[in-house]
Amino acid sequence: MAERIFELQGVGYHYPPDRPALRDVSLTVDAGDAMTILGANGSGKSTLLKILDGLVSPTSGTVRAFGTTLTEAALELNRSEFARYFRRRVGLVFQDADSQLFSPVVREEVAFAPLQMGLSQEETRTRVEDALSLLGIAHLKDRSPQALSEGEKRKVAIASVLSGNPDVLLLDEPSSDLDPRTRVWLQEFLGELHRSGKTIVTATHDLELASETSERCMVLDEEHGVAIADRTERVLEDLDLLLRANLIHQHAHRHGTLVHTHPHAHED
């Protein structure tokens, strides 16, 4: 039986003063899962990932990670044994790479996680070289992250998380602002990570990315609740549900006196 990574029961979250972001969300993630959280902009996807990463605590409901209730106290200042264990096993790639990248050069950015874990300089150097090679960006190691293209920044952000070698990878809208070639690379890369044994949870409104990289989908509706959780192919076949969740839209065509509609996915 696979290890239970996350278990959420009735999770809700409100931003002050009383703006709902999530309502009564229940979810399980097991080791080796490839799961997508689908939802329109503002549905609560990013908030849910931050809860899974322990960056914010829910205002209602419970979150368990690796069998332990995830609270601020459990993760306080990374001082507890569980906090160190959790941070070694879970990594989050933010939607906005610029908010994640802060070091003056790429190699220092990618070295940050292993150094924080207390690894030696030699082991850190090996981790950095491996991560840069895996992402195909070794030639960027002495460049400033802020001087890179959006696709290159995305790869550096992923490398900076993978250098810590987490078992669980959380990705927030990883395909946004990417050119077509880099989007294809991302799909293939996530597939490789999953086949290597990583547990991957992706938050996105990109239906193609969900189709190509996940086995299960959960859809958040515009009321911030769970509309459905099922196998990816079943979710993506339910066009009425996708329309209600604002993940696709109807495009009308007129041919003489006849009007008919076709569903279309939203563009990034």
Side-chain angles (χ1 to χ4, degrees):
M1 184 175 181
E3 178 187 18
R4 177 60 45 87
I5 304 295
F6 296 112
E7 185 172 3
L8 281 63
Q9 291 290 335
V11 164
Y13 190 84
H14 284 70
Y15 289 102
D18 192 32
R19 181 168 64 89
L22 293 171
R23 299 179 188 270
D24 193 27
V25 173
S26 295
L27 165 70
T28 59
V29 178
D30 291 334
D33 277 356
M35 180 176 184
T36 296
I37 301 166
L38 281 171
N41 291 339
S43 61
K45 303 187 302 297
S46 294
T47 300
L48 182 52
L49 280 195
K50 290 176 182 176
I51 287 174
L52 293 177
D53 194 52
L55 296 180
V56 298
S57 296
T59 50
S60 60
T62 59
V63 180
R64 292 177 64 81
F66 308 105
T68 296
T69 300
L70 207 58
T71 62
E72 291 182 12
L75 295 173
E76 187 178 7
L77 297 178
N78 289 340
R79 290 177 179 173
S80 71
E81 181 178 347
F82 173 74
R84 292 190 293 272
Y85 174 82
F86 181 84
R87 292 300 172 205
R88 284 197 304 270
R89 296 202 63 185
V90 180
L92 170 63
V93 179
F94 288 84
Q95 177 178 356
D96 182 5
D98 286 323
S99 68
Q100 186 167 348
L101 305 177
F102 55 85
S103 297
V105 295
V106 167
R107 55 182 165 76
E108 293 181 9
E109 189 72 54
V110 181
F112 181 79
L115 288 175
Q116 289 294 107
M117 294 166 58
L119 300 185
S120 67
Q121 289 288 340
E122 182 178 355
E123 177 64 17
T124 296
R125 189 160 45 249
T126 299
R127 291 279 189 102
V128 170
E129 291 173 356
D130 288 347
L132 293 175
S133 176
L134 183 64
L135 275 295
I137 53 174
H139 62 291
L140 302 176
K141 64 181 180 180
D142 294 317
R143 296 271 302 276
S144 165
Q146 303 310 317
L148 303 178
S149 69
E150 291 303 318
E152 289 169 337
K153 288 180 183 178
R154 184 78 63 193
K155 291 181 179 182
V156 173
I158 295 173
S160 71
V161 172
L162 290 182
S163 63
N165 195 28
D167 299 308
V168 183
L169 193 62
L170 310 175
L171 301 109
D172 192 359
E173 295 287 6
S175 63
S176 64
D177 300 321
L178 296 184
D179 61 74
R181 184 179 296 113
T182 308
R183 288 167 67 97
V184 171
W185 167 84
L186 176 67
Q187 293 173 9
E188 295 174 348
F189 183 69
L190 292 181
E192 291 173 5
L193 288 178
H194 181 234
R195 288 189 292 274
S196 75
K198 300 293 185 185
T199 302
I200 300 177
V201 181
T202 305
T204 187
H205 64 270
D206 184 338
L207 302 186
E208 181 180 356
L209 183 68
S211 174
E212 294 295 329
T213 64
S214 67
E215 299 166 340
R216 293 195 298 134
C217 277
M218 186 181 77
V219 176
L220 293 176
D221 59 32
E222 293 188 293
E223 299 302 317
H224 315 289
V226 178
I228 191 174
D230 206 337
R231 301 287 298 178
T232 297
E233 61 270 19
R234 293 180 183 174
V235 171
L236 297 183
E237 288 171 355
D238 193 338
L239 299 185
D240 288 338
L241 170 73
L242 298 178
L243 279 167
R244 292 195 303 272
N246 197 22
L247 287 163
I248 61 174
H249 65 280
Q250 290 280 19
H251 184 72
H253 299 270
R254 179 179 293 276
H255 299 279
T257 59
L258 299 177
V259 176
H260 59 96
T261 59
H262 303 282
H264 292 268
H266 296 308
E267 299 292 337
D268 283 341

